[in-house]
Amino acid sequence: GFIEPLPALPKVWETGSFNGLVARGNFEIELSWENSKISFFRIISKSGGKCSIKLDNVKGVQIKNREGEKIAYNTKHNGIIEFNTAKSGEYFITF
């Protein structure tokens, strides 16, 4: 029950992006990466509810809504963060 961005990124795909991927929980994801690191990460919550994301490093992570307001999140074990979402809400994850 969590989103794990780029879990097995091949080394030859140093740079790339995708848009419109729908993850479990009805979350639409847009993600870009450069030098094998996430450079843009947006989640649209289609249904609302709790969103869980597994990250390699949670230090310095910020989540903001489309208005730029910071969203509080909880850090769980194994680099998983969780936060509440509103239906049709947009959330930007930065590092």
Side-chain angles (χ1 to χ4, degrees), residues 55-94:
L55 300 168
D56 290 336
N57 185 0
V58 298
K59 187 176 181 179
V61 169
Q62 285 191 350
I63 303 171
K64 293 184 180 180
N65 63 18
R66 75 177 74 132
E67 290 81 24
E69 300 166 332
K70 287 184 182 178
I71 304 298
Y73 63 87
N74 294 316
T75 303
K76 302 294 183 180
H77 59 84
N78 298 329
I80 296 174
I81 62 171
E82 293 182 339
F83 61 100
N84 292 317
T85 68
K87 184 176 180 180
S88 301
E90 286 185 59
Y91 303 90
F92 299 86
I93 293 87
T94 58

Side-chain angles (χ1 to χ4, degrees), residues 44-60:
I44 300 172
S45 179
K46 298 292 196 173
S47 301
K50 188 175 289 186
C51 181
S52 300
I53 306 169
K54 183 173 183 177
L55 300 168
D56 290 336
N57 185 0
V58 298
K59 187 176 181 179

